[in-house]
Amino acid sequence: MSLLLGDIAPDFEAETTEGKIKFHDWIGDDWVIFFSHPADFTPVCTTELGYTAKLKDKLAARGAKAIVISADSLEDHKAWIGDIEETQGCTVDFPIIADPDKKVATLYNMIHPNADPKVTVRAVYVIDPNKKIRASIIYPPSAGRNFDEILRLLDSLQLTDGYKVATPVNWQQGEDVIIVPSVSNEDADKLFPKGYKTIKPYLRTTPQPNK
């Protein structure tokens, strides 16, 4: 069964490089970036995990943290961390899930047989503190992800949870946002004291309300 936006992220228990976890307990009250990589000791994954390690403070500032999985053993994960830290100039201090039997990867639809039946694709799930899946992105094993885009997506989700707005194409922090069409002009006057611009009745922009 496919996992859909708004679904509760399946819970599981697993061994990780930071000890055994029960996923929902590990999430706690944080947002989570849960992503898979095809295999340990591979070049693209080495760069991705190195970059993720460098994002720890930026994620923490957003109340978020990362966790990673591949269908490799705990011993391989621990050995590979040394290579990541050496080549990427970082400290890997987020958990990497060992999943050699592919149970968790299968639970999260990370094995795509028509792409490669032996490895996990580059799946990303953004999970909120209520354990709901709020976004998902799937890349093929050959394409490294843009983690700056994942941060941008997280910013958008958190902003639009707090205000009746949506973020336009290529939106970045601090830029104008769109008032959702369900908000009347009368309500918009009250909700957005910075004012707004009406381009079309259904397209109204306003300065980012939390800036």
Side-chain angles (χ1 to χ4, degrees):
M1 183 186 298
S2 296
L3 295 174
L4 304 178
L5 301 189
D7 287 353
I8 297 295
D11 198 11
F12 59 84
E13 293 186 4
E15 295 290 345
T16 81
T17 51
E18 296 189 354
K20 189 172 184 177
I21 66 164
K22 191 171 188 296
F23 190 47
H24 281 192
D25 291 344
W26 181 84
I27 291 173
D29 295 324
D30 294 320
W31 288 74
V32 168
I33 309 299
F34 179 30
F35 66 94
S36 55
H37 64 272
D40 294 354
F41 302 104
T42 53
V44 176
C45 301
T46 299
T47 64
E48 287 191 327
L49 269 68
Y51 196 80
T52 301
K54 295 174 184 177
L55 290 178
K56 182 177 182 179
D57 289 345
K58 290 184 177 181
L59 288 170
R62 294 162 168 84
K65 56 190 177 184
I67 188 167
V68 188
I69 186 172
S70 79
D72 289 298
S73 69
L74 192 61
E75 292 73 22
D76 281 348
H77 287 343
K78 290 180 176 178
W80 181 42
I81 284 173
D83 286 358
I84 298 169
E85 295 182 338
E86 175 191 351
T87 62
Q88 306 303 306
C90 66
T91 299
V92 176
D93 52 5
F94 54 85
I96 306 174
I97 297 168
D99 191 36
D101 56 8
K102 301 183 176 67
K103 285 185 178 179
V104 179
T106 300
L107 187 64
Y108 275 81
N109 301 308
M110 293 169 168
I111 304 290
H112 292 203
N114 291 331
D116 191 326
K118 298 179 182 178
V119 301
T120 49
V121 294
R122 297 186 194 280
V124 182
Y125 289 100
V126 181
I127 301 168
D128 71 17
N130 295 317
K131 285 68 177 177
K132 286 187 178 182
I133 295 172
R134 299 297 301 280
S136 64
I137 311 172
I138 305 295
Y139 292 73
S142 59
R145 285 162 281 214
N146 184 333
F147 280 83
D148 293 334
E149 165 60 14
I150 294 169
L151 278 184
R152 191 191 76 91
L153 173 59
L154 178 58
D155 286 340
S156 176
L157 289 168
Q158 293 182 340
L159 173 66
T160 56
D161 274 0
Y163 300 89
K164 294 183 178 181
V165 297
T167 53
V169 62
N170 296 332
W171 174 82
Q172 298 288 339
Q173 276 280 16
E175 296 179 351
D176 287 357
V177 295
I178 293 170
I179 299 172
V180 296
S182 60
V183 174
S184 68
N185 286 341
E186 181 180 8
D187 287 340
D189 292 337
K190 300 172 185 175
L191 292 171
F192 303 103
K194 296 177 183 177
Y196 57 91
K197 179 180 179 181
T198 301
I199 301 168
K200 290 287 185 181
Y202 58 85
L203 178 55
R204 296 162 295 170
T205 61
T206 188
Q208 184 173 331
N210 63 346
K211 289 292 185 181

